[in-house]
Amino acid sequence: MELAALLNKEHDEKRQGEAFLTANNANHNSKKFYIESYGCAMNFSDSEVVAAILQSDGFQATAVFEEADLLLINTCSIREKAEMTIRKRLTEFRKAKRSNPGMLIGILGCMAERLKSQLLEEEKLVDLVIGPDAYRTLPLLIKEATGGQKGVNVLLSREETYGDISPIRLNSNGITAFVSITRGCNNMCSFCVVPFTRGRERSRDSISILKEINQLVDDGYKEITLLGQNVDSYYWLNETTGVPVTFALLLEQAALVSPLLRVRFSTSHPKDITDDVLHTIAKYENICKCIHLPVQSGNTRVLQLMNRTYTREWYLAKIDRIRMLIPECSITSDMIAGFCTETEEEHLDTLSLMNYSNFDMSYMYYYSERPGTLAARRFTDDIPLETKKRRLQEIVDKQGELSTKSNQNDIGKIFKVLIENNSKRDQHDWTGRTSQNKITVFPKSNTAEKPGDYVWIKIYDCTRATLLGKIVDQA
Ligand code: SAM
Ligand code: SF4
Ligand code: F3S
């Protein structure tokens, strides 16, 4: 198993999670599809668009893959390990197809884009290969594949945003939902495969975004996360009003939909997050005080090789600015250990940057070379695996310290928590999150609070990943 960060566990489990429709309103004669999603939130959000396209083509969702007529796997290429996991899963799907030869197997998403015909021809693993910008052609490709041909469309688009499609919420708790605002990425971080698998960045029109948010509020949702690889570069010109919509303005418009709706967003790029965005976060109580600001490395030379376009000093100045304008904001990050040519001293710079920044949580990885990326073409992947793993472990340990310290600082404080679910460990407890995105567990009271309600919680204890509290009267 990839040496995944301990603090990553929850995130990784979610990444591996199966997604399926829980609502079942289609008729019993319709064909059934099963979809499983891997990778980032964008992929989970895309699966909801795919579900909508399939439902309007007469398909009904199933949670049991063996009974599906169409088996879809929405894939991720970000690291080699992610692709290996998916290949293993495809082999299991092939076994199901042996007992049901009419079944179609389709691969969607970033791996479909990266490997294109290789999956179809060389490995004969699948019947359909569909890239992230081609989901509207699914019904046509399914027809082709049913007729015995292979259905392939991996064309990337400069315009497609699926803005007019109302996603069908998969595996939903009815409280939190993703809303995509941009697709693709124009940054060329040298380690990253995303610009190749998802194409050029484009912003979805703000009218359809706000329509979707309003619908979610009408349906009782209490929290949305605006999604994009680089949300701060959101830009859409409303040609009717002539008003350019920046990310700061979109955030404000989303916050104004309802004071009862929490607004989150991910991911911010350190070079693009503006003071306007920070002031907007500070201004609205319902914009969550949590910024995910991936740094990748704490050393300027390595950052340059990574083509991140900022220096260590620039990043630290951003941290200072956030702390100044939004003192209660949590800051989380991503780190890559053992990038090409990284020295021991440069690795120590990452640890010292983490110390200064006091990250509340991080996603941590060791470098995995991706074919076709700038780094794969220009640099040698020269850090031995053992060294990468050891450096990653040091980063994980450092984050463990920082997360514990951050949580201990919350003891005695009172937070507004949105209840999301029963606690997995104890049915007598609820679990929810603070505005800072910290998971909080607390005993149910005798009053009638329920998932979707906001409660005030006083923190009396913590673990590295969870705050433990009790319901109190409003702060
Ligand atoms: N767009 C976001 C950003 O710029 O920070 C995140 C994109 S990526 C989906 C999520 C994270 O995966 C990155 O922040 C990076 O830490 C990690 N990552 C990307 N490519 C990687 C690679 N080749 N090896 C290891 N980790 C990688
Ligand atoms: Fe990849 Fe960089 Fe774009 Fe993030 S900003 S998706 S790391 S290229
Ligand atoms: Fe993976 Fe593609 Fe997301 S490579 S991380 S699913 S954009």
Side-chain angles (χ1 to χ4, degrees):
M1 197 183 121
E2 181 177 310
L3 182 57
L6 251 183
L7 295 168
N8 249 359
K9 199 165 169 282
E10 178 120 352
H11 190 66
D12 281 349
E13 279 169 2
K14 189 166 141 211
R15 286 177 173 208
Q16 309 285 326
E18 291 174 11
F20 50 82
L21 275 181
T22 44
N24 202 337
N25 52 5
N27 80 56
H28 292 286
N29 296 324
S30 54
K31 291 203 162 197
K32 291 184 180 147
F33 76 94
Y34 170 92
I35 187 163
E36 201 167 287
S37 308
Y38 293 80
C40 62
M42 298 287 310
N43 247 18
F44 283 78
S45 177
D46 276 5
S47 291
E48 300 185 333
V49 166
V50 167
I53 292 170
L54 289 175
Q55 199 179 65
S56 44
D57 195 42
F59 276 87
Q60 173 193 352
T62 172
V64 185
F65 80 76
E66 288 87 353
E67 67 174 38
D69 304 285
L70 175 64
L71 257 175
L72 296 173
I73 181 159
N74 197 355
T75 60
C76 175
S77 286
I78 202 81
R79 285 167 288 277
E80 193 183 6
K81 165 72 173 41
E83 289 193 352
M84 277 157 52
T85 308
I86 289 160
R87 280 178 189 279
K88 218 168 117 208
R89 192 68 176 135
L90 273 175
T91 318
E92 286 161 24
F93 283 2
R94 294 289 304 171
K95 279 189 203 143
K97 187 171 164 115
R98 257 180 246 136
S99 46
N100 177 6
M103 177 190 267
L104 294 178
I105 300 179
I107 182 160
L108 313 176
C110 292
M111 206 172 149
E113 194 62 50
R114 198 181 84 72
L115 296 175
K116 300 188 173 101
S117 49
Q118 191 180 325
L119 289 157
L120 278 175
E121 287 152 22
E122 290 168 32
E123 307 179 25
K124 304 208 183 316
L125 281 174
V126 290
D127 307 290
L128 293 153
V129 177
I130 304 157
D133 287 346
Y135 298 144
R136 283 182 204 270
T137 61
L138 253 167
L140 187 72
L141 296 172
I142 291 167
K143 264 194 204 100
E144 282 177 16
T146 311
Q149 289 168 280
K150 297 285 181 184
V152 192
N153 188 348
V154 288
L155 286 177
L156 286 172
S157 155
R158 281 174 178 259
E159 287 89 35
E160 181 62 270
T161 62
Y162 301 112
D164 58 315
I165 295 180
S166 298
I168 289 184
R169 304 293 160 186
L170 294 165
N171 209 15
S172 167
N173 59 4
I175 297 164
T176 59
F178 293 133
V179 176
S180 292
I181 63 164
T182 66
R183 296 183 71 79
C185 185
N186 282 356
N187 296 320
M188 272 287 179
C189 302
S190 62
F191 51 80
C192 185
V193 78
V194 172
F196 303 94
T197 59
R198 295 208 157 236
R200 305 291 293 172
E201 180 186 281
R202 63 225 96 121
S203 296
R204 178 178 170 193
D205 71 281
S206 66
I207 297 166
S208 75
I209 295 172
L210 292 167
K211 190 172 155 209
E212 185 175 330
I213 297 172
N214 272 291
Q215 185 61 55
L216 286 164
V217 170
D218 289 349
D219 293 345
Y221 282 79
K222 293 290 173 55
E223 181 183 296
I224 53 151
T225 304
L226 303 175
L227 289 181
Q229 292 299 347
N230 181 6
V231 285
D232 302 283
S233 63
Y234 177 87
Y235 181 89
W236 183 72
L237 181 66
N238 185 331
E239 279 170 3
T240 320
T241 61
V243 176
V245 185
T246 60
F247 182 57
L249 181 56
L250 182 70
L251 206 48
E252 176 164 57
Q253 290 172 337
L256 289 171
V257 168
S258 163
L260 291 179
L261 180 76
R262 273 186 170 179
V263 181
R264 298 188 186 277
F265 54 93
S266 185
T267 300
S268 289
H269 194 294
K271 78 172 162 57
D272 291 319
I273 189 164
T274 60
D275 267 12
D276 271 359
V277 168
L278 299 183
H279 286 302
T280 309
I281 299 169
K283 183 172 168 192
Y284 291 95
E285 188 272 336
N286 61 333
I287 301 181
C288 288
K289 306 298 178 269
C290 174
I291 299 178
H292 186 56
L293 199 68
V295 66
Q296 315 298 358
S297 164
N299 176 271
T300 297
R301 188 191 74 90
V302 176
L303 286 169
Q304 268 161 4
L305 291 185
M306 289 177 161
N307 201 24
R308 288 291 287 184
T309 69
Y310 53 84
T311 60
R312 172 186 174 94
E313 289 69 33
W314 168 282
Y315 186 89
L316 293 178
K318 270 295 170 211
I319 296 284
D320 290 345
R321 192 78 185 141
I322 296 170
R323 301 252 181 252
M324 193 176 113
L325 295 178
I326 325 168
E328 73 276 35
C329 196
S330 67
I331 305 178
T332 60
S333 197
D334 290 356
M335 256 80 64
I336 298 179
F339 186 64
C340 313
T341 73
E342 183 191 67
T343 65
E344 213 50 41
E345 289 69 35
E346 289 167 340
H347 161 63
L348 293 178
D349 282 345
T350 299
L351 298 179
S352 72
L353 178 137
M354 292 173 73
N355 248 342
Y356 183 92
S357 309
N358 267 318
F359 296 131
D360 297 273
M361 194 274 297
S362 291
Y363 298 115
M364 299 156 279
Y365 315 95
Y366 65 75
Y367 174 58
S368 163
E369 186 178 81
R370 307 313 293 132
T373 54
L374 290 183
R377 282 184 273 147
R378 287 188 192 156
F379 313 127
T380 311
D381 180 13
D382 57 353
I383 308 298
L385 186 60
E386 282 317 299
T387 309
K388 285 182 184 174
K389 286 186 176 179
R390 194 249 310 144
R391 288 183 189 169
L392 175 60
Q393 193 55 56
E394 287 171 12
I395 290 174
V396 169
D397 292 345
K398 170 58 65 189
Q399 186 56 56
E401 258 174 52
L402 297 176
S403 298
T404 305
K405 192 171 89 183
S406 160
N407 283 354
Q408 282 171 347
N409 279 341
D410 289 340
I411 293 177
K413 293 185 191 162
I414 295 175
F415 292 95
K416 189 175 172 184
V417 170
L418 174 62
I419 305 179
E420 288 179 26
N421 251 316
N422 289 315
S423 160
K424 276 186 196 146
R425 290 221 176 128
D426 187 341
Q427 292 296 300
H428 299 98
D429 289 346
W430 293 119
T431 174
R433 276 174 300 146
T434 63
S435 171
Q436 289 74 10
N437 210 22
K438 289 190 181 179
I439 295 169
T440 309
V441 174
F442 49 95
K444 295 176 181 178
S445 76
N446 293 328
T447 51
E449 81 272 352
K450 57 186 183 313
D453 288 349
Y454 291 103
V455 282
W456 293 95
I457 301 295
K458 182 161 185 178
I459 307 305
Y460 66 86
D461 201 357
C462 66
T463 67
R464 187 158 61 166
T466 312
L467 298 176
L468 304 171
K470 282 195 181 114
I471 297 181
V472 291
D473 289 338
Q474 184 158 352

